[in-house]
Amino acid sequence: MNSNQKFEINITFDNRCVKEGFLTGFGFSSLVYNPYTSNYSLFDTGGDGNVLIHNIRKFNINVDQIKNAIISHSHFDHSGGLNEIVKNNPNIEIYVPKSNEVSFQRKFSNQKVIGVRKPKEIEENLICSGQIGTSIKEEALYLKKENGEIFILVGCTHPGLEYFIMKARDMGKVKGVIGGFHGFRKYSYLDGIDIIGACHCTSHIKAIKKRFPDNYKQVCV
């Protein structure tokens, strides 16, 4: 296996920045291509399934090519597009925080719904963090290269971004993180991370950009 292989991450839903030809809505979603398995996975589904599918198709990907849907947490702006995804791809496997398993199984009774409590490798080098948090349970997605580097995709990080970073660091060096940072202000946890893609619900983007001018990257659909 070529250790230089790279995951491809396409941002398919965001409410802050959208490039020409793509549609917008409130929420977040990203499409991941895993070079180790040649599979596509969808992390979160935004708040509008029709917008999401339009954006996915702009990358010349059909929804029925997507093997997995990983939902960070149950809030509508991260799971609302799943209905349309399932209509277009009834064979997709759905991974959710363990606490949300029953509610998603009821809603998607014809699909395979897997509740994740602890870190779980859902396919080679693609790892669900397992649920983190108390009042709001949430999971992240870790993309791991053969050299041990970890790239993190997050939803809203309601429990605190630092907990997802700490768990990732148990597995390897954190290379980057993309997603919603919510009200995160413990900036020292971002030290040493090369790519900081704060978007969606992040409250303090200006402060993050000021502190990490060389590492902050604007994230657009």
Side-chain angles (χ1 to χ4, degrees), residues 47-125:
D48 187 319
N50 292 317
V51 168
L52 176 62
I53 289 171
H54 169 88
N55 291 340
I56 289 171
R57 288 173 177 164
K58 288 287 289 181
F59 291 108
N60 296 315
I61 304 298
N62 292 322
V63 176
D64 61 7
Q65 292 177 257
I66 303 171
K67 182 181 179 184
N68 312 298
I70 299 95
I71 304 298
S72 65
H73 62 300
S74 62
H75 288 179
F76 190 79
D77 52 326
H78 294 263
S79 64
L82 188 56
N83 281 336
E84 290 300 319
I85 294 295
V86 167
K87 285 179 186 176
N88 286 269
N89 182 357
N91 296 317
I92 198 166
E93 295 184 359
I94 302 168
Y95 292 83
V96 299
K98 183 67 176 177
S99 295
N100 300 137
E101 182 178 11
V102 173
S103 62
F104 275 80
Q105 281 179 336
R106 286 174 183 157
K107 192 170 184 179
F108 302 102
S109 57
N110 294 321
Q111 280 67 49
K112 184 177 181 181
V113 176
I114 302 100
V116 184
R117 188 183 302 278
K118 297 179 180 180
K120 179 181 179 66
E121 188 172 35
I122 63 175
E123 59 179 53
E124 186 179 357
N125 294 330

Side-chain angles (χ1 to χ4, degrees), residues 2-220:
N2 182 357
S3 61
N4 293 319
Q5 289 193 108
K6 295 180 179 180
F7 287 90
E8 293 177 15
I9 303 170
N10 293 312
I11 307 302
T12 46
F13 209 102
D14 186 58
N15 46 279
R16 286 185 178 269
C17 179
V18 181
K19 296 199 170 177
E20 186 176 353
F22 292 88
L23 300 177
T24 188
F26 189 69
F28 180 73
S29 173
S30 58
L31 182 68
V32 176
Y33 175 75
N34 185 347
Y36 301 99
T37 62
S38 301
N39 290 331
Y40 286 97
S41 295
L42 193 63
F43 178 74
D44 282 345
T45 60
D48 187 319
N50 292 317
V51 168
L52 176 62
I53 289 171
H54 169 88
N55 291 340
I56 289 171
R57 288 173 177 164
K58 288 287 289 181
F59 291 108
N60 296 315
I61 304 298
N62 292 322
V63 176
D64 61 7
Q65 292 177 257
I66 303 171
K67 182 181 179 184
N68 312 298
I70 299 95
I71 304 298
S72 65
H73 62 300
S74 62
H75 288 179
F76 190 79
D77 52 326
H78 294 263
S79 64
L82 188 56
N83 281 336
E84 290 300 319
I85 294 295
V86 167
K87 285 179 186 176
N88 286 269
N89 182 357
N91 296 317
I92 198 166
E93 295 184 359
I94 302 168
Y95 292 83
V96 299
K98 183 67 176 177
S99 295
N100 300 137
E101 182 178 11
V102 173
S103 62
F104 275 80
Q105 281 179 336
R106 286 174 183 157
K107 192 170 184 179
F108 302 102
S109 57
N110 294 321
Q111 280 67 49
K112 184 177 181 181
V113 176
I114 302 100
V116 184
R117 188 183 302 278
K118 297 179 180 180
K120 179 181 179 66
E121 188 172 35
I122 63 175
E123 59 179 53
E124 186 179 357
N125 294 330
L126 197 71
I127 303 163
C128 280
S129 68
Q131 67 181 23
I132 292 174
T134 53
S135 59
I136 299 174
K137 301 289 200 277
E138 192 167 337
E139 65 183 3
L141 186 64
Y142 299 149
L143 319 180
K144 186 173 184 178
K145 291 188 66 180
E146 285 192 346
N147 63 7
E149 289 181 343
I150 306 282
F151 205 100
I152 309 174
L153 292 174
V154 295
C156 274
T157 57
H158 290 285
L161 176 60
E162 64 272 19
Y163 295 107
F164 297 98
I165 292 173
M166 286 189 289
K167 185 168 278 194
R169 283 179 172 151
D170 289 339
M171 305 177 191
K173 177 183 176 356
V174 177
K175 177 74 172 177
V177 56
I178 288 178
F181 295 6
H182 212 58
F184 174 76
R185 299 183 73 172
K186 297 179 180 179
Y187 304 133
S188 63
Y189 284 92
L190 297 174
D191 290 341
I193 297 179
D194 293 341
I195 298 169
I196 301 170
C199 59
H200 175 46
C201 63
T202 308
S203 301
H204 305 295
I205 283 184
K206 287 183 180 178
I208 292 169
K209 186 176 181 179
K210 184 177 180 180
R211 176 155 175 165
F212 302 97
D214 298 326
N215 307 85
Y216 170 80
K217 310 295 180 186
Q218 186 179 38
V219 173
C220 291

